[in-house]
Amino acid sequence: QVQLVESGGGLVQAGNSLRLSCVASGSIETIARMAWYRQAPGKERVLVAFITSGGSTSYVDSVKGRFTISRNNAKNTVYLQMNNLNPEDTGVYYCAGGTWITYKYWGQGTQVTVSS
């Protein structure tokens, strides 16, 4: 079973950037979709971005133009480059893998906190 481990979270000032990494224990090349979810305190977990095995990407409206999801299949790693962060981006970010219907694999999450 594929294990996912996130890293790169932290506390940053609004306007700064962070780059999250998700390292898989196995190949991600055959996983249909890799995604990043976010869960803010007291709120539902939401899909932030995903990337397909073919390289297509999609983003939630609130992060379009600021976040970029990418993958390096050779390193079994998915990234989320987050630029121009604002406090609304605060939350626990989870890496996930699966299909458009079901995300089967999940990481433990990494905390991102953006201060005003």
Side-chain angles (χ1 to χ4, degrees):
Q1 187 170 349
V2 175
Q3 296 179 12
L4 305 176
V5 180
E6 304 97 331
S7 63
L11 173 63
V12 299
Q13 189 78 19
N16 290 141
S17 300
L18 282 175
R19 187 195 193 197
L20 306 183
S21 297
C22 170
V23 180
S25 62
S27 176
I28 63 170
E29 192 168 5
T30 59
I31 300 177
R33 294 188 177 190
M34 297 295 298
W36 287 96
Y37 280 79
R38 178 178 68 215
Q39 187 164 27
K43 297 184 178 180
E44 290 290 314
R45 183 179 61 199
V46 300
L47 178 64
V48 175
F50 71 79
I51 184 167
T52 69
S53 59
S56 297
T57 60
S58 185
Y59 304 88
V60 68
D61 287 345
S62 61
V63 309
K64 288 180 179 177
R66 299 188 297 118
F67 289 12
T68 302
I69 187 171
S70 62
R71 71 175 192 271
N72 187 325
N73 291 336
K75 296 182 178 180
N76 294 327
T77 303
V78 178
Y79 305 96
L80 185 67
Q81 178 67 46
M82 306 186 295
N83 297 328
N84 193 25
L85 287 161
N86 60 63
E88 289 70 49
D89 297 319
T90 293
V92 178
Y93 284 72
Y94 297 91
C95 181
T99 70
W100 73 280
I101 299 175
T102 302
Y103 285 97
K104 182 178 181 179
Y105 308 108
W106 291 87
Q108 83 289 344
T110 185
Q111 177 71 45
V112 173
T113 304
V114 184
S115 62
S116 301

